[in-house]
């Protein structure tokens, strides 16, 4: 079945640093979603991507839909303590199919 | 975006008992889903809750263990039956927003089975 890989698995950064993480698939997807989950909460949708090469921002967050359609990237600029959480990617080939979720990247921000 | 609420937010249950989790959406949606998130893990789809028909279960999940109701377009329930400690997880309700390729999650129900 379809699987997503996320890299890195976890990361520890200093407050103010920029963060990059990615999500890769062996299959082509036509929709990519990025979520953040904080402890005790459900995943919150950050950014949705629908077109190969698309670059979309949400505040300090920027995500890109890879040209190959097999990957997506999430960048966070000037990290702050409230960026702490687990970031999940999700992909779907066609509307009506179920989303596939990655294992997540756990982000820790050191003051 | 759709606003999703779940009840209860958390519970501690004895093995062998059952718990029913409710999911309420503030707007009518076609697609509602139930996910399980085991400690430190990603999200695993249990089933799609279909309005007016039986839920569609993913491999490894069965109706006898996880019966689901979907009486209308804004509400669904998931029952975790005959619980064991292995059922300790976060259970999440999710909806696909109609005509948009996005999926939103509720806050989750944290279940601990002793």
């Amino acid at each position: 079945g379809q699987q997503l890989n996320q890299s890195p698995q976890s990361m520890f950064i200093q407050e103010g640093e920029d963060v990059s993480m990615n999500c890769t698939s062996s299959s082509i997807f036509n929709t990519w979603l990025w979520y953040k989950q904080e402890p005790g909460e459900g995943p919150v949708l950050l950014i949705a991507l629908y077109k190969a090469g698309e670059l979309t921002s949400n505040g300090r967050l920027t995500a890109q839909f890879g040209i190959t359609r097999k990957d997506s990237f999430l960048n966070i600029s000037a990290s702050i303590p409230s960026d702490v959480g687990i970031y999940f990617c999700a992909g779907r080939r066609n509307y009506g199919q179920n989303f596939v979720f990655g294992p997540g990247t756990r982000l820790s921000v050191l003051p | 975006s759709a606003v999703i609420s779940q009840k209860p937010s958390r519970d501690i249950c004895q093995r062998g008992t059952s718990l029913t989790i409710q999911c309420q959406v503030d707007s009518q949606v076609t697609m509602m889903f139930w996910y399980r998130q085991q400690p430190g893990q990603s999200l695993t789809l249990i089933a799609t809750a279909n309005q007016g028909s039986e839920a569609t279960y993913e491999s490894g999940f069965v109706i006898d263990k996880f019966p689901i109701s979907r009486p209308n377009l804004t509400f669904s329930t998931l029952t975790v039956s005959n619980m064991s400690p292995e059922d300790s997880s976060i259970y999440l309700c999710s909806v696909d927003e109609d005509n948009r390729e996005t999926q939103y999650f509720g806050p989750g129900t944290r279940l601990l089975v002793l």
Side-chain angles (χ1 to χ4, degrees):
Chain A
Q2 298 171 332
Q3 284 189 321
L4 292 180
N5 297 307
Q6 286 189 247
S7 178
Q9 192 172 36
S10 63
M11 52 195 317
F12 294 81
I13 62 169
Q14 293 287 335
E15 184 176 355
E17 288 184 354
D18 295 343
V19 175
S20 291
M21 62 186 77
N22 66 46
C23 183
T24 59
S25 168
S26 58
S27 304
I28 290 175
F29 288 126
N30 289 316
T31 301
W32 289 95
L33 305 177
W34 282 94
Y35 293 88
K36 177 189 177 187
Q37 186 177 29
E38 297 183 27
E41 305 289 331
V44 174
L45 182 66
L46 300 173
I47 293 178
L49 301 162
Y50 303 111
K51 188 176 177 181
E54 180 181 358
L55 191 70
T56 298
S57 293
N58 178 4
R60 293 178 296 106
L61 277 63
T62 301
Q64 184 163 23
F65 192 138
I67 291 176
T68 67
R69 298 189 175 186
K70 292 184 177 182
D71 53 14
S72 180
F73 310 89
L74 178 69
N75 296 313
I76 304 173
S77 63
S79 60
I80 59 178
S82 62
D83 290 332
V84 166
I86 304 175
Y87 291 80
F88 291 101
C89 63
R92 177 161 78 181
R93 183 176 179 87
N94 294 310
Y95 184 77
Q97 293 180 330
N98 295 325
F99 277 99
V100 177
F101 284 83
T105 292
R106 186 181 296 271
L107 177 63
S108 299
V109 179
L110 307 174
Chain B
S1 63
V3 177
I4 307 167
S5 59
Q6 288 185 232
K7 290 182 182 180
S9 60
R10 61 180 65 243
D11 208 341
I12 300 174
C13 300
Q14 296 295 322
R15 71 168 66 213
T17 63
S18 298
L19 176 72
T20 295
I21 303 167
Q22 298 179 4
C23 177
Q24 180 74 54
V25 190
D26 69 341
S27 58
Q28 293 186 339
V29 293
T30 303
M31 306 294 285
M32 291 183 76
F33 308 91
W34 287 98
Y35 284 81
R36 182 174 73 183
Q37 186 177 28
Q38 295 180 301
Q41 302 295 313
S42 186
L43 301 142
T44 301
L45 181 63
I46 297 172
T48 302
N50 302 308
Q51 198 264 329
S53 63
E54 198 169 276
T56 305
Y57 290 84
E58 298 300 304
S59 176
F61 298 96
V62 295
I63 188 171
D64 290 346
K65 176 67 175 177
F66 297 103
I68 288 170
S69 79
R70 178 92 192 269
N72 56 51
L73 293 176
T74 64
F75 186 79
S76 178
T77 67
L78 169 75
T79 299
V80 186
S81 303
N82 188 25
M83 289 183 284
S84 66
E86 291 72 33
D87 294 320
S88 299
S89 284
I90 302 171
Y91 292 86
L92 293 153
C93 174
S94 176
V95 304
D96 258 13
E97 195 163 66
D98 285 357
N99 301 319
R100 296 184 62 186
E101 295 212 49
T102 51
Q103 191 164 330
Y104 296 95
F105 285 87
T109 295
R110 280 141 192 85
L111 172 62
L112 177 63
V113 184
L114 302 177

